[in-house]
């Protein structure tokens, strides 16, 4: 009986979340969510970026500054709680979510270079904080949190950020960005406006790379096999670079490409968009 009740509750919330997501996307497309003069954004920097790929956050800031936005980095921010939440440790994730809501509550817009972390705040905080005093604030904040490419194309209404990257590039559709945030057009639109780029579609670009957070450690053999398939598809595309919206996916794929001694390199989308005709040397967002 308890299991049946729990299953119904999860099903009801899933339908609510999907309906709320459709309403949100509709309002966003109509342009009514933010004041026209909004020019300051808060940067939400995920753990992977903070600890392993800080250049991704810097590149995101460079692009935002180039198109006229001021950025602030709330230094009190910590992990959003996604690893604990996804592993079933909700009591451990909840204080992190509450802290995040308090830190970012005054931000007009929050921009994040990770689809999975943006998903955590927008789609799963309402579930995690249901029945708490911060539930309403969490829902409202979630409507102001955006993945980087989503913010550029759908909020700032900018597809050409003045980037130049004369290389052959393929794109990996990260699971959370594609399936939770419904982002497929946005990163591709940005890439197609990069000067000098040759954008190619990779076979099975929507297939999971096998990372999945703690899945990669709990089920390492499956994770590695999925990553190996993704790496092979990247190579089959003939791309010099593989890009995505999620640094965690790129780190996973990069490790497998290195093991294969592949010529394909990985770079975050922000690393491509940060490059201009005046840039020299190695791409700042390149993982190797």
């Amino acid at each position: 009986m308890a299991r049946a009740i729990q299953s119904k509750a999860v099903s009801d919330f899933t339908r609510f979340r999907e309906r709320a997501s459709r309403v949100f996307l509709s309002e966003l497309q109509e342009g009514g969510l933010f004041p026209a003069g909004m020019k300051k954004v808060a940067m939400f920097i995920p753990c992977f970026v903070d600890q392993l790929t800080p250049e991704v956050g810097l590149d995101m800031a460079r692009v935002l500054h180039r198109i006229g936005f001021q950025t602030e980095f709330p230094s009190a921010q910590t992990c959003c709680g996604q690893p604990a939440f996804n592993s079933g440790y909700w009591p451990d994730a909840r204080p992190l979510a509450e802290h995040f809501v308090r830190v970012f509550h005054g931000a007009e817009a929050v921009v994040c270079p990770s689809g999975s972390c943006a998903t955590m705040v927008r789609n799963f905080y309402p579930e995690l904080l249901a029945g708490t005093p911060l539930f309403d604030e969490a829902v409202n904040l979630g409507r102001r949190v955006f993945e980087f490419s989503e913010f550029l194309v759908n909020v700032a209404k900018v597809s050409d950020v003045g980037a130049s990257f004369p290389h052959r590039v393929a794109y990996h559709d990260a699971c959370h960005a594609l399936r939770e945030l419904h982002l497929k057009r946005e990163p591709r639109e940005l890439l197609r406006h990069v000067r000098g780029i040759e954008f190619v579609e990779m076979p099975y670009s929507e297939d999971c790379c096998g990372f999945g957070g703690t899945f990669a450690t709990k089920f390492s053999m499956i994770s590695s096999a999925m990553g190996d398939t993704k790496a092979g598809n990247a190579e089959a595309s003939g791309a010099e670079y593989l890009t995505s919206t999620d640094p965690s996916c790129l780190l996973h794929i990069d490790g497998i490409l290195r093991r294969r001694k592949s010529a394909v390199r990985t770079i975050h989308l922000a690393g491509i968009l940060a490059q201009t005709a005046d840039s020299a040397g190695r791409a700042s967002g390149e993982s190797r």
Side-chain angles (χ1 to χ4, degrees):
M1 175 66 73
R3 181 173 296 179
I5 293 173
Q6 182 182 30
S7 176
K8 184 179 185 303
V10 171
S11 177
D12 288 346
F13 185 83
T14 299
R15 286 196 296 271
F16 162 78
R17 182 162 55 81
E18 291 174 350
R19 184 170 62 252
S21 177
R22 289 194 296 269
V23 172
F24 171 80
L25 291 173
S26 175
E27 291 184 11
L28 179 60
Q29 290 168 356
E30 292 172 4
L33 285 181
F34 295 96
M38 191 264 293
K39 281 293 181 180
K40 186 174 183 180
V41 299
M43 296 199 305
F44 165 24
I45 302 300
C47 301
F48 268 106
V49 175
D50 182 56
Q51 296 296 314
L52 299 175
T53 58
E55 68 279 0
V56 171
L58 295 172
D59 285 337
M60 182 176 77
R62 291 185 183 102
V63 174
L64 289 170
H65 293 165
R66 188 190 304 152
I67 65 172
F69 283 87
Q70 298 177 9
T71 60
E72 62 174 346
F73 174 78
S75 59
Q77 64 182 281
T78 62
C79 176
C80 66
Q82 182 185 181
F85 178 83
N86 288 348
S87 298
Y89 297 101
W90 288 23
D92 297 302
R94 194 165 290 114
L96 294 172
E98 292 171 340
H99 178 73
F100 185 96
V101 171
R102 293 187 179 102
V103 168
F104 285 96
H105 79 279
E108 284 188 276
V110 180
V111 184
C112 177
S114 166
S116 63
C117 292
T119 291
M120 177 64 192
V121 178
R122 185 191 300 172
N123 291 8
F124 297 116
Y125 271 16
E127 183 176 8
L128 181 60
L129 297 179
T132 73
L134 288 176
F135 171 75
D136 289 338
E137 195 166 349
V139 171
N140 290 331
L141 175 61
R143 293 164 61 86
R144 307 195 306 275
V145 173
F146 299 94
E147 183 276 325
F148 180 47
S149 70
E150 177 185 34
F151 179 81
L152 291 177
V153 175
N154 295 337
V155 180
K157 306 296 183 184
V158 174
S159 297
D160 186 346
V161 299
S164 176
F165 195 73
H167 299 282
R168 187 178 175 93
V169 177
Y171 180 79
H172 160 62
D173 286 288
C175 290
H176 281 93
L178 178 66
R179 294 170 175 83
E180 290 287 345
L181 300 180
H182 311 293
L183 301 176
K184 186 174 179 73
R185 172 185 61 86
E186 291 81 355
R188 287 170 171 81
E189 185 170 326
L190 290 162
L191 288 169
R192 291 190 175 103
H193 282 85
V194 174
R195 290 155 183 78
I197 200 170
E198 182 183 356
F199 176 67
V200 295
E201 286 289 358
M202 176 175 64
Y204 303 103
S205 65
E206 295 185 357
D207 285 7
C208 178
C209 71
F211 177 65
T214 55
F215 175 85
T217 56
K218 291 181 177 179
F219 303 97
S220 58
M221 293 181 66
I222 302 175
S223 173
S224 296
M226 294 172 71
D228 205 49
T229 299
K230 177 64 68 172
N233 288 333
E235 292 168 341
S237 73
E240 299 172 71
Y241 287 89
L242 178 65
T243 192
S244 185
T245 55
D246 272 78
S248 53
C249 294
L250 291 173
L251 285 168
H252 176 65
I253 298 169
D254 181 66
I256 292 170
L257 288 169
R258 288 170 183 260
R259 188 184 63 193
R260 293 165 64 104
K261 301 187 185 308
S262 176
V264 180
R265 289 164 287 181
T266 60
I267 183 172
H268 191 277
L269 177 64
I272 293 177
L273 299 182
Q275 302 302 305
T276 66
D278 296 327
S279 300
R282 177 171 134 165
S284 60
E286 186 181 330
S287 61
R288 56 183 166 142

